[in-house]
Amino acid sequence: MFDEDPYVLGIMGRAWRTYWEVNVAKKDDWVLGVTKATANRKGQLVLSPANGFWVIRLSNGGRLKAMDDKEHVLEKGIPDKVGIYLDYKEKKVTFFNAEDGSHLYSFINGPGYEDEVRPLFSPWNNDTDPITVLSVESKKSK
């Protein structure tokens, strides 16, 4: 449980590579990505890979941001659907515009297979418009 902010953790299998899509249409505020199962969930969170979070966010319908060790403003259009690709082997978390396949951002310092991670979602402002997981695919590699 998170004690201050509205976050939800998902559950996924342990495939080497996993991809899922999230519908965030009509949302002006959201946070999407993955977090280590052991990441701090109490108090004011610092969303960064150093703290076990690989996320992007939209705030007040403004600019899209990647919450890396230093916050990066993404000069991209705001997607209605976001694709999230987790590759344990490459230690990479990549975000796509799921409608046109364009690249939004990649964390190249992502979690390894020894890290238990979980999908992270937040509607942030708790309005009535939902965040919806659209599809989940897992691909095992040899």
Side-chain angles (χ1 to χ4, degrees):
M1 293 207 26
F2 293 87
D3 67 348
E4 288 193 14
D5 297 315
Y7 290 101
V8 175
L9 294 177
I11 296 174
M12 62 185 177
R14 295 283 292 179
W16 279 105
R17 294 178 183 97
T18 303
Y19 176 81
W20 65 96
E21 294 179 355
V22 183
N23 183 347
V24 290
K26 301 181 185 178
K27 297 291 294 174
D28 288 335
D29 294 280
W30 48 261
V31 177
L32 299 175
V34 297
T35 184
K36 284 186 180 181
T38 58
N40 179 39
R41 300 181 199 173
K42 305 296 180 197
Q44 184 66 36
L45 301 180
V46 177
L47 301 174
S48 71
N51 292 312
F53 296 92
W54 295 269
V55 300
I56 62 172
R57 71 175 296 178
L58 178 66
S59 181
N60 296 320
R63 292 194 170 173
L64 196 57
K65 298 176 183 177
M67 308 306 289
D68 211 327
D69 292 328
K70 183 177 160 185
E71 188 176 285
H72 295 280
V73 174
L74 306 178
E75 300 297 335
K76 311 280 183 175
I78 298 168
D80 286 339
K81 296 177 186 172
V82 176
I84 303 166
Y85 181 68
L86 170 62
D87 186 332
Y88 280 117
K89 202 173 250 186
E90 297 290 326
K91 294 188 174 187
K92 195 171 180 181
V93 180
T94 303
F95 297 86
F96 297 94
N97 178 327
E99 293 179 312
D100 66 14
S102 62
H103 178 261
L104 296 173
Y105 192 79
S106 290
F107 291 91
I108 57 172
N109 57 345
Y113 197 73
E114 67 281 355
D115 298 313
E116 182 184 351
V117 298
R118 304 184 81 188
L120 179 75
F121 311 92
S122 177
W124 201 254
N125 63 4
N126 274 334
D127 64 15
T128 58
D129 293 317
I131 289 177
T132 308
V133 177
L134 299 172
S135 64
V136 178
E137 295 180 25
S138 296
K139 297 177 183 172
K140 294 186 179 189
S141 67
K142 298 178 181 180

